[in-house]
Amino acid sequence: MSDQGWLADTRTSYDTVAVSYADQVRDALAGEPYLRASLALFADMVHAAGGGSVADVGCGPGHVTAHLRKLGVDAFGIDLSPAMVDVARRDHPGLRFEVGSMTDLDLADASVAGLLAWWSLIHVPDDAVSRVFGHFRRALRPGGPLLLGFHVGDESRLKTQGYGGHPMNVYVHRRQPGQVAAWLRDAGFTVEAQMLLDLDESVPGAVLFARRQP
């Protein structure tokens, strides 16, 4: 499928579920101690590197962006779905949210101190990941930390319904951490750590910490 095809399907799907999705994830971090710890470590890395603005790319309804702000990080959100951005602005007034795509990231070179893609790469097909990571590297300042979260597995499946029974039409890609780490290295990142989550569940998760090479 062309970029326009899967991007359009992703945008339309999340425009459709934006309100119900926000209702489901609004307090999700409260029950996820390992994810909160990952975000706290990421915030510490940003502070240790001198601070600055941090991009939450694929921010959805903005709950993670807001959590980072509570950790003292100057975070702002970018999302492909205009409806998601509207919900994020409604739920988190005063924070910055804008519409944009990680495949054509509208951020100046070396303009952000950190970058987060929190389960937002899962709809990006394999052949577009290297371009996305290239944009991440370009936007990050040298030495800036990158935090990725994603589903672990070896398959892609079509999601046709979700978040309150609303229709969707998006592929969900599950990947092995080793593959994602290899793509990051090819894009000019140093991979520093990984954490596997929910190992006894049907769909485990992974968190990768990386840093833009000088």
Side-chain angles (χ1 to χ4, degrees), residues 26 31 46 55 71 78 107 109 128 136 155 174 183 195:
R26 184 169 290 113
V46 172
L71 296 173
I78 300 170
L107 294 174
D109 294 359
F136 288 0
E155 64 180 4
R174 302 172 184 172
W183 284 330
M195 179 167 60

Side-chain angles (χ1 to χ4, degrees), residues 161-209:
Q161 183 178 340
Y163 312 112
H166 298 287
M168 301 183 76
N169 184 40
V170 291
Y171 277 93
V172 179
H173 305 290
R174 302 172 184 172
R175 296 173 170 123
Q176 293 298 328
Q179 177 62 77
V180 178
W183 284 330
L184 285 170
R185 295 185 185 101
D186 288 344
F189 287 92
T190 298
V191 180
E192 296 188 339
Q194 75 174 39
M195 179 167 60
L196 298 177
L197 307 161
D198 300 322
L199 296 181
D200 290 335
E201 300 297 326
S202 59
V203 184
V207 172
L208 286 184
F209 289 86

Side-chain angles (χ1 to χ4, degrees), residues 129-174:
V129 171
S130 62
R131 178 153 38 101
V132 169
F133 285 173
H135 278 295
F136 288 0
R137 184 188 186 281
R138 178 188 57 75
L140 270 168
R141 68 189 187 194
L146 172 70
L147 179 60
L148 302 179
F150 54 94
H151 297 309
V152 173
D154 297 293
E155 64 180 4
S156 299
R157 66 179 183 89
L158 180 63
K159 186 179 182 72
T160 59
Q161 183 178 340
Y163 312 112
H166 298 287
M168 301 183 76
N169 184 40
V170 291
Y171 277 93
V172 179
H173 305 290
R174 302 172 184 172

Side-chain angles (χ1 to χ4, degrees), residues 32-179:
E32 298 287 353
Y34 298 108
L35 296 185
R36 294 198 311 274
S38 296
L39 293 169
L41 177 55
F42 175 69
D44 287 345
M45 293 168 69
V46 172
H47 295 317
S53 62
V54 168
D56 179 5
V57 181
C59 66
H63 60 300
V64 174
T65 317
H67 185 80
L68 288 172
R69 290 296 290 259
K70 291 178 182 178
L71 296 173
V73 173
D74 182 19
F76 66 96
I78 300 170
D79 200 86
L80 182 66
S81 161
M84 279 290 191
V85 170
D86 287 344
V87 170
R89 290 170 176 167
R90 179 201 71 186
D91 288 354
H92 309 287
L95 300 190
R96 172 186 165 195
F97 296 99
E98 56 193 49
V99 177
S101 172
M102 65 178 66
T103 61
D104 188 20
L105 198 57
D106 188 19
L107 294 174
D109 294 359
S111 62
V112 295
L115 195 148
L116 172 80
W118 199 246
W119 274 265
S120 56
L121 285 166
I122 61 173
H123 303 304
V124 178
D126 287 0
D127 60 5
V129 171
S130 62
R131 178 153 38 101
V132 169
F133 285 173
H135 278 295
F136 288 0
R137 184 188 186 281
R138 178 188 57 75
L140 270 168
R141 68 189 187 194
L146 172 70
L147 179 60
L148 302 179
F150 54 94
H151 297 309
V152 173
D154 297 293
E155 64 180 4
S156 299
R157 66 179 183 89
L158 180 63
K159 186 179 182 72
T160 59
Q161 183 178 340
Y163 312 112
H166 298 287
M168 301 183 76
N169 184 40
V170 291
Y171 277 93
V172 179
H173 305 290
R174 302 172 184 172
R175 296 173 170 123
Q176 293 298 328
Q179 177 62 77

